[in-house]
Every structure is written in C-alpha cells, then in structure tokens.
C-alpha cells in the first residue's frame, strides 16, 4: 500500500512541475516564465499574482500585455536579467495610448521599454 501511495505522489509531483515550463505564443515569440504567466497555456500560480504579469496570445499568436485603463500592448521581448519588457502598440499608434499608459508599472521590478516611441527619430526617448 505504501509503495502505491509513494508512486502516486511522485506522479503528481512530476505532473505539477511540468505545468510551469517556459511557454511562447509562437516558436519565435518571447519566452514567458516567472514572474509572468501566459493565460490559457500556464496556470496563474506559474507567475506573480498581479494582473500586470498576466500575458495572453492574440488571434495571430502575438504575445499581449493588458495594462490598466484598457491599454493593450504587444510584448516584443522580455529581458529577464535586465528586468525589461519591450512593448509596442498593436495598432502602430502608441501616441493614442500614451495618455492612458501608466509608465511606473508599480507592481513590478520590470521597466517598460516602448519600442514604437523609441524608434521615432524625432523623439529623445522614454525608458
């Protein structure tokens, strides 16, 4: 009896460890791991329990971050070592979203890097 119980326990531990593996929306999309988690591909306990860390996949398999005030940004890259997340506007019009964007990302040690804004030569940068 104890052998069967130990075997079932090992199976359960192995199954739960496999749930939080690194996931992507596409093969070339940014790898998503703690503190972020990918909705519908990883359970919420795989990431930090705050909405700013929940990512999702769009219909065309791009990685999306939902920020407060209904701001949706594409995740182009995540640099876990430097704690930077590179974002761009899905519609290519970041200026329209800037008034609604909270650049402090207060629940996270990650810094938001706005790709669309930084790519414009006449702007001197936001970071």
């Amino acid at each position: 009896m104890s052998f069967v119980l130990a075997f079932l326990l090992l199976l359960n531990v192995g199954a739960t460890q496999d749930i939080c593996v690194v996931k992507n929306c596409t093969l070339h999309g940014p790898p998503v791991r703690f503190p972020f988690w990918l909705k519908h591909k990883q359970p919420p306990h795989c990431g930090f329990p705050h909405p700013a860390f929940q990512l999702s996949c769009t219909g065309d398999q791009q990685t999306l971050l939902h920020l407060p005030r209904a701001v949706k940004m594409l995740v182009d890259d995540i640099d876990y070592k430097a704690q930077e997340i590179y974002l761009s506007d899905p519609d290519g019009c970041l200026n329209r979203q800037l008034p609604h964007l909270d650049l402090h990302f207060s629940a996270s040690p990650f810094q938001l890097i706005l790709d669309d804004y930084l790519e414009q030569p006449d702007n001197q940068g936001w970071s």
Side-chain angles (χ1 to χ4, degrees):
M1 177 71 174
S2 62
F3 173 74
V4 173
L5 184 59
F7 180 73
L8 290 175
L9 182 61
L10 285 174
L11 279 178
N12 189 31
V13 168
T16 56
Q17 288 177 346
D18 199 35
I19 292 173
C20 291
V21 296
V22 175
K23 298 285 185 173
N24 308 63
C25 289
T26 65
L27 182 62
H28 302 291
V32 178
R33 62 177 173 84
F34 190 86
F36 299 97
W37 63 282
L38 197 53
K39 187 176 181 178
H40 301 300
K41 291 194 175 200
Q42 297 170 313
H45 74 264
C46 290
F48 190 74
H50 187 278
F53 293 94
Q54 176 184 317
L55 306 178
S56 62
C57 298
T58 65
D60 58 348
Q61 300 305 304
Q62 293 180 293
T63 309
L64 193 67
L65 172 64
H66 298 264
L67 294 170
R69 301 185 192 172
V71 173
K72 296 178 183 177
M73 302 293 288
L74 293 177
V75 179
D76 300 317
D77 193 22
I78 303 172
D79 185 334
Y80 290 94
K81 188 172 182 174
Q83 295 186 330
E84 296 174 338
I85 183 167
Y86 293 82
L87 305 173
S88 61
D89 185 277
D91 299 320
C93 188
L94 185 60
N95 290 336
R96 183 190 51 179
Q97 294 211 58
L98 281 176
H100 307 288
L101 191 58
D102 177 9
L103 295 175
H104 294 98
F105 206 44
S106 60
S108 172
F110 279 76
Q111 180 180 6
L112 299 179
I113 307 295
L114 305 173
D115 287 347
D116 288 345
Y117 193 80
L118 293 175
E119 289 173 4
Q120 297 175 12
D122 55 326
N123 294 320
Q124 297 303 312
W126 279 77
S127 55

